[in-house]
Amino acid sequence: MSKILLQHRILATINQSLDLGTARLVAEQLEVDIAAPEEVARAAVERFSDREQFKQDSASGQLRPRPPVVTVLGHVDHGKTSLLDAIRETSVAAGEAGGITQSIGASVVTRQDRQITFIDTPGHEAFTAMRARGANITDLAVLVVAANDGVMPQTVEAIQHVQNAGVPILVAVNKVDLEDANPDRAKQQLAERGVVVEDFGGDVVCVPVSAKTGQGVDHLLEMIILVTDLHEPRANPDRPAEATIIDSQMDKGRGPVASVLVQEGTLRVQDHFVVGPVAGRVRALVDDRGLRVDSCGPGLPVQVLGLPEVVTAGDRLQVVESEKEARVRAESTLFAQRSGRAEVPKVSLAELSRQSDQTVRDLDLVVKCDTQGALEALRGSLLKFADPLVRLRLVYEGVGPISVADVDLAAAANAIVIGFNVRPDANARVAADNQGIDVRTYDVVYQITEDIEKAIRGLHEPTFEEVFEGRAEVRARIRVPRSGLIAGCQVTDGKISRGSTVAVLRDGREVQRARVESLRRFKDDVREVAQGYECGVDLGGYQDFLEGDVLESFVVQQRNR
Ligand code: GDP
């Protein structure tokens, strides 16, 4: 390759980047195909634009019902794992090692011929971590609340995360077998948090259950089907598969494996695929019962063998037509990642002050404080904050140090994290660095609002810009009594208007700026003259224009930043 470069008199070392043009030249001679990351990304978007594809599939009647995908969330020890177990009618909790099935990150439950897919990892951290990577795989969140404990901090956190993701909620009030169970109190507390269940006049379905005795579990499944049916989860099984990685690890005997949830199409053994910068081919598929299968349709989980390396949870797996396509796309993604172009710009106060258009934007905040009292105070002053260009929204507020979950949520919601009297823990700091999340910590309330104000102030400073209006050619110098010289022009482009500024161009170069003092069509004073018409332009004091000059007219507009 360096030989070819030398032929073109380009000196480049092996680790030096080439511009696209040069790279193309070399590629041509080597008879290989290359594409710019942007092109590949565009092609990928064109090909995999979900919404478009969905519309097409929908129009051609190719969408089929698929199993709903459910995540279980709630406070620690409220019985998420037990409930999943009760649902599976296995007892992983009683002895995880004893379970016959091998976990592939999700499991499928069948109730009266209807399948439901449950994501195995309970908890909102997993849920939000997925979202942070752009994967919204859940159709329904089952919020588990223990009837004896009621709403606890992580219940509140879970509610906020789910509402933020716009995923419907179904409440399972668990542990109703306990003597001190008080489901009504739990429901009341939920209502105070905006989750109003049906018997409290709301529209959230609530099912009392006991993961221990199995009471209500069947009813819960029935309700899950009922609620998800309202949203009619559908997908086209007859197209190349798209899936989300829910888990990936190195297996001693089998090498790198990944559990995926197929979302569109059908994944088949032998399929070529790409996951971010990794290309591979499906060697084998294993379902949630540990059985080898040939294919897996949408809404269902499956374990994939045949990856060259472990991949990242939340990433997308896409089936492509050939090994070559897989390789090219994986390499392009890798290249884009290395050159930093794959990164999506994250919101930050510094970025905010650089933006310059006039659109009203939302500034989403994840707020953590040391005490509930401080939180109330801070919320008060943030909500009082009023600005015509910026709407502050609190997507999450909580007490305690800034955690990885907070950073993930900020990444998912494109928010910034504000800590008041609290700091990020070590893991959160790393996560924030990796994901480029703006994390700010303060110990005085007014500094927070002051910082935000400072960032916003930049948006209000006026700037001026020249807006092109039109072009006219000088055809004659006309002497007019009292006015001196007038430019007899033909408007060749756009329009010329009275009061506008013109740049006088001679051989393409600007020789003078002048103002259009008056504008005439025949004897009449006019306000503007459009393309194709002739007119007389009075440029005031400037009379040195020549035949053949071009007048380029523009108006100067003030633009609020
Ligand atoms: P998780 O942290 O939310 O996954 O909660 P677990 O499923 O690990 O359950 C926490 C504890 O509550 C365990 O000791 C379970 O045996 C117990 N538990 C879970 N569900 C029930 C239930 O319905 N009734 C009773 N009495 N105990 C339960």
Side-chain angles (χ1 to χ4, degrees):
M1 176 166 145
S2 58
K3 211 159 102 198
I4 299 174
L5 285 173
L6 277 174
Q7 284 168 4
H8 291 277
R9 298 180 186 284
I10 297 164
L11 276 175
T13 56
I14 194 153
N15 49 8
Q16 201 168 325
S17 304
L18 300 177
D19 64 68
L20 191 61
T22 315
R24 283 234 160 88
L25 202 75
V26 174
E28 236 165 63
Q29 295 197 355
L30 292 173
E31 292 179 359
V32 293
D33 292 337
I34 60 161
E38 300 89 325
E39 290 168 16
V40 176
R42 209 177 311 124
V45 168
E46 276 161 15
R47 183 155 167 217
F48 291 103
S49 165
D50 286 354
R51 202 176 291 266
E52 277 313 305
Q53 185 73 49
F54 191 81
K55 267 196 229 150
Q56 275 176 27
D57 289 348
S58 177
S60 57
Q62 285 175 305
L63 296 179
R64 300 274 170 275
R66 61 158 173 84
V69 180
V70 179
T71 308
V72 175
L73 302 95
H75 193 71
V76 65
D77 278 350
H78 277 199
K80 298 181 291 292
T81 315
S82 309
L83 187 60
L84 276 168
D85 290 341
I87 285 171
R88 277 192 300 250
E89 288 174 317
T90 60
S91 57
V92 180
E96 225 135 308
I100 343 149
T101 59
Q102 167 196 15
S103 169
I104 62 158
S107 40
V108 183
V109 171
T110 307
R111 187 190 178 277
Q112 292 174 357
D113 293 339
R114 298 284 301 273
Q115 290 175 306
I116 308 170
T117 296
F118 286 91
I119 303 295
D120 278 345
T121 335
H124 53 255
E125 284 87 355
F127 179 82
T128 313
M130 282 275 180
R131 270 193 71 220
R133 300 200 58 80
N136 234 349
I137 58 173
T138 316
D139 297 306
L140 178 75
V142 171
L143 183 67
V144 178
V145 188
N148 56 336
D149 258 4
V151 169
M152 298 300 272
Q154 287 169 331
T155 319
V156 178
E157 230 170 88
I159 293 171
Q160 295 195 12
H161 286 223
V162 171
Q163 285 178 338
N164 215 266
V167 172
I169 292 187
L170 188 154
V171 173
V173 176
N174 190 32
K175 306 197 187 184
V176 291
D177 58 290
L178 291 176
E179 264 184 23
D180 58 346
N182 188 348
D184 276 345
R185 193 192 54 187
K187 291 181 203 170
Q188 178 61 42
Q189 291 168 334
L190 284 169
E192 286 159 17
R193 301 289 176 170
V195 179
V196 188
V197 302
E198 281 173 335
D199 35 340
F200 276 60
D203 56 5
V204 177
V205 174
C206 174
V207 184
V209 293
S210 165
K212 191 174 174 186
T213 67
Q215 178 197 337
V217 172
D218 192 56
H219 184 49
L220 176 66
L221 292 176
E222 193 184 331
M223 285 300 137
I224 288 174
I225 289 175
L226 210 75
V227 173
T228 49
D229 269 357
L230 293 177
H231 302 273
E232 284 190 288
R234 290 185 305 160
N236 176 7
D238 301 318
R239 49 173 282 210
E242 282 182 50
T244 294
I245 312 292
I246 44 185
D247 187 24
S248 179
Q249 63 208 41
M250 185 59 82
D251 187 280
K252 262 188 219 135
R254 302 177 302 165
V257 294
S259 299
V260 307
L261 179 81
V262 178
Q263 289 174 293
E264 284 292 338
T266 299
L267 184 62
R268 296 191 164 82
V269 174
Q270 302 285 328
D271 274 350
H272 291 285
F273 64 82
V274 54
V275 183
V278 175
R281 186 172 199 186
V282 180
R283 200 171 70 224
L285 294 172
V286 179
D287 75 4
D288 63 313
R289 286 162 305 160
L291 302 175
R292 292 246 175 165
V293 289
D294 292 331
S295 65
C296 175
L300 295 168
V302 74
Q303 194 172 50
V304 179
L305 279 69
L307 292 142
E309 57 189 273
V310 172
V311 288
T312 314
D315 270 1
R316 247 169 134 56
L317 177 148
Q318 290 178 331
V319 167
V320 293
E321 257 156 40
S322 63
E323 186 183 345
K324 185 177 168 195
E325 190 182 346
R327 204 184 56 237
V328 168
R329 289 187 43 183
E331 278 167 10
S332 307
T333 307
L334 187 67
F335 177 73
Q337 282 176 354
R338 289 213 176 126
S339 56
R341 276 185 264 192
E343 273 172 34
V344 187
K346 289 279 187 261
V347 65
S348 68
L349 283 188
E351 185 52 43
L352 182 71
S353 65
R354 274 197 293 274
Q355 290 170 337
S356 59
D357 56 279
Q358 270 290 309
T359 46
V360 177
R361 67 201 86 235
D362 293 316
L363 178 57
D364 288 342
L365 307 173
V366 169
V367 175
K368 293 299 286 277
C369 295
D370 56 340
T371 63
Q372 191 65 35
L375 189 59
E376 308 278 318
L378 183 56
R379 187 198 298 132
S381 64
L382 288 174
L383 292 183
K384 257 192 268 149
F385 188 90
D387 187 279
L389 286 187
V390 176
R391 233 184 342 239
L392 287 190
R393 289 195 309 197
L394 270 57
V395 292
Y396 177 68
E397 44 185 86
V399 173
I402 296 166
S403 66
V404 173
D406 298 329
V407 172
D408 282 347
L409 177 62
N414 203 18
I416 65 174
V417 182
I418 287 185
F420 179 62
N421 284 338
V422 292
R423 329 208 105 250
D425 62 34
N427 292 336
R429 208 177 283 278
V430 174
D433 276 353
N434 287 344
Q435 302 187 53
I437 301 300
D438 195 5
V439 176
R440 289 164 179 259
T441 53
Y442 299 87
D443 49 14
V444 188
V445 169
Y446 80 79
Q447 272 175 356
I448 302 179
T449 42
E450 206 177 74
D451 257 17
I452 295 174
E453 260 160 22
K454 250 190 251 158
I456 291 172
R457 205 171 308 140
L459 297 175
H460 291 293
E461 284 163 12
T463 55
F464 297 91
E465 63 182 351
E466 297 174 346
V467 181
F468 174 80
E469 231 188 20
R471 207 171 278 125
E473 237 177 73
V474 179
R475 296 278 161 88
R477 290 158 52 88
I478 308 166
R479 191 162 295 279
V480 178
R482 284 194 303 276
S483 304
L485 273 177
I486 298 287
C489 295
Q490 168 134 35
V491 181
T492 55
D493 202 358
K495 64 174 186 183
I496 304 288
S497 60
R498 188 167 68 210
S500 69
T501 305
V502 294
V504 181
L505 308 179
R506 192 166 299 155
D507 303 325
R509 236 171 302 157
E510 181 175 330
V511 291
Q512 181 74 29
R513 287 226 165 167
R515 197 177 121 90
V516 178
E517 295 295 343
S518 70
L519 201 57
R520 285 214 180 143
R521 287 249 327 127
F522 305 106
K523 292 253 146 41
D524 303 327
D525 264 322
V526 290
R527 204 187 290 252
E528 56 179 53
V529 178
Q531 180 181 350
Y533 292 98
E534 293 183 335
C535 58
V537 181
D538 179 359
L539 292 177
Y542 181 68
Q543 313 230 312
D544 297 336
F545 50 83
L546 302 175
E547 263 174 51
D549 282 355
V550 171
L551 308 182
E552 204 167 82
S553 130
F554 50 85
V555 285
V556 177
Q557 275 182 357
Q558 178 177 330
R559 186 172 68 158
N560 283 327
R561 293 197 59 219

